Amino acid sequence: MVMLGMPRTGLVDRFGRRAIDLRVSLTERCNLRCTYCMPAAGLPVSPSDAIMTAAEIARLVGLGATRLGVRKVRFTGGEPLLRADLVDVVARCAALPDRPELSLTTNAIGLASRAQALADAGLDRINVSLDTIDSETFTTVTRRPFLARVLEGIAAADAAGLRMKVNAVLLRGVNDTHAADLLAWCLERGYELRFIEQMPLDAGHTWDRTEMVTAAEVRTLIADHVVLTPHAAPRDGAPAERYDVAERTASGSTGRHLGTVGIIASVTESFCADCTRTRLTADGKVRSCLFSDEETDVLTAMRAGADDDEVVAIWQRAMWAKPRDHGVDRADFVQPARSMSAIGG
Ligand code: SAM
Ligand code: SF4
């Protein structure tokens, strides 16, 4: 269905989707160099005065929540923990009227010393990216020998009472054979693990469809070790397909429930038709889709004195133009110019 006119309320697009989940990138910088995201030498970043301040972020989150129907906000990057004022950003957003749920996606380096402050500031949830619990493999994937620091960060977030999920990207011949160990590690601790298909968003543009570990392969890799049953609760537009995990022995399932696992098939089982996302890049651009190069500069307008009605209208127009789908499977697909760390994953 194509809609004919832009409604006055909310962040609606031409195909009738309504964005209620906001991703806010807090920085383009990172202290890891995950091979599927950043090049070994890093990437040029915007000058610091081009990056949104805590007050600008809070203003946009506030307008999103009170005027545009945003219900969930996830802070991401780059690595959000590299922002010295991260706790302040969270505290300002938590203090907003009609406050949305606040979560953080992070590699957890440096989280050990800030987890409690983030929880106290009002952070509700945290997603930690961890692709393996094998130290050598971690260093191969991230190009940095920091696994111990990530594990310390996870333990601190747990101790601070933050609700936690773990995100993992599998790479063929690198960490795919460790997937079952990572799952067992998460299940033992009560963390929901979500496997994410690798997307064509790496800075080196080396993504290769035939090399990607698909959601179907992930199911096979772990089904040798556990029994998966589709989770009963409705998916409700969520990107992850969730499964209940039961213990497996040589003779089959023992029926012992171990937890849940999610698989996000962004490429092979795309959920574009149900997409509820809107994004703000660290340099203050509205981005309606991860995969579209279309960006609308709202920060420059704000700094030039745009009032709330004008900012809301800019954001609505940007979302109205959201593409129908990411088109990764089409022959004419072109990878976006900005990579994941620069857009905000
Ligand atoms: N630095 C933080 C982290 O790693 O959690 C936040 C930003 S990172 C870009 C957000 C998420 O994007 C991470 O879970 C990461 O694994 C994922 N990601 C990065 N590049 C990806 C790619 N090419 N395909 C799929 N997921 C990717
Ligand atoms: Fe950094 Fe996150 Fe990208 Fe890894 S995935 S390089 S931690 S931004």
Side-chain angles (χ1 to χ4, degrees):
M1 179 194 63
V2 176
M3 294 183 68
L4 296 176
M6 191 171 84
R8 282 161 197 260
T9 57
L11 294 169
V12 180
D13 68 42
R14 291 163 297 158
F15 306 100
R17 294 168 296 189
R18 187 173 287 275
I20 54 168
D21 293 338
L22 167 61
R23 301 271 163 135
V24 184
S25 176
L26 299 184
T27 176
E28 297 162 4
R29 295 184 299 128
C30 192
N31 42 12
L32 295 184
R33 295 287 180 270
C34 303
T35 55
Y36 49 77
C37 180
M38 279 185 118
L43 286 170
V45 292
S46 305
S48 53
D49 61 359
I51 299 299
M52 293 188 290
T53 63
E56 288 163 342
I57 293 165
R59 180 175 175 205
L60 284 165
V61 168
L63 287 174
T66 55
R67 302 275 305 268
L68 292 167
V70 167
R71 294 314 319 142
K72 292 182 183 173
V73 175
R74 176 169 294 280
F75 300 113
T76 180
E79 177 41 53
L81 284 166
L82 290 181
R83 264 189 89 128
D85 61 354
L86 176 62
V87 172
D88 182 37
V89 170
V90 171
R92 284 172 186 257
C93 294
L96 291 166
D98 212 6
R99 157 208 204 284
E101 180 186 273
L102 300 175
S103 58
L104 176 72
T105 297
T106 173
N107 64 27
I109 294 169
L111 183 58
S113 60
R114 292 160 95 190
Q116 190 60 57
L118 286 166
D120 294 344
L123 189 71
D124 298 301
R125 294 172 176 270
I126 192 156
N127 280 13
V128 175
S129 303
L130 174 64
D131 301 319
T132 175
I133 44 152
D134 178 76
S135 181
E136 217 173 292
T137 311
F138 180 92
T139 305
T140 304
V141 174
T142 65
R143 303 191 181 100
R144 296 289 186 271
F146 294 157
L147 176 65
R149 291 165 65 180
V150 173
L151 299 184
E152 258 181 75
I154 291 177
D158 206 358
L162 288 164
R163 284 178 282 165
M164 187 150 40
K165 286 185 180 155
V166 173
N167 289 348
V169 176
L170 294 183
L171 304 176
R172 194 180 305 288
V174 180
N175 64 339
D176 54 345
T177 50
H178 298 285
D181 293 342
L182 178 62
L183 176 60
W185 187 88
C186 289
L187 290 169
E188 271 165 31
R189 289 159 181 79
Y191 311 148
E192 181 168 298
L193 174 62
R194 289 139 31 110
F195 292 103
I196 307 174
E197 279 182 345
Q198 186 190 0
M199 296 179 273
L201 288 167
D202 59 308
H205 290 215
T206 58
W207 181 86
D208 176 352
R209 176 78 148 89
T210 58
E211 280 300 301
M212 182 188 75
V213 178
T214 64
E217 283 177 83
V218 173
R219 287 189 281 266
T220 309
L221 278 169
I222 57 178
D224 282 348
H225 303 265
V226 290
V227 175
L228 299 181
T229 315
H231 194 62
R235 191 162 162 181
D236 250 352
E241 187 82 62
R242 295 177 73 219
Y243 296 87
D244 287 310
V245 182
E247 186 177 54
R248 179 188 283 287
T249 62
S251 50
S253 172
T254 63
R256 188 162 82 91
H257 179 74
L258 301 177
T260 53
V261 66
I263 303 180
I264 305 186
S266 326
V267 177
T268 59
E269 295 157 30
S270 133
F271 33 84
C272 298
D274 296 321
C275 183
T276 54
R277 298 229 174 119
T278 179
R279 294 173 183 273
L280 289 167
T281 61
D283 57 348
K285 311 258 169 38
V286 176
R287 190 155 169 136
S288 63
C289 171
L290 252 182
F291 288 89
S292 161
D293 277 326
E294 285 296 316
E295 290 180 351
T296 305
D297 189 351
V298 69
L299 182 60
T300 301
M302 271 167 50
R303 288 184 178 175
D307 66 18
D308 287 354
D309 288 345
E310 286 164 327
V311 172
V312 161
I314 291 170
W315 201 341
Q316 284 183 308
R317 278 199 300 274
M319 291 307 295
W320 181 248
K322 182 178 171 99
R324 184 194 290 268
D325 55 37
H326 61 42
V328 173
D329 273 334
R330 284 200 296 268
D332 61 351
F333 171 73
V334 180
Q335 183 168 337
R338 289 225 235 187
S339 55
M340 194 67 140
S341 65
I343 302 166

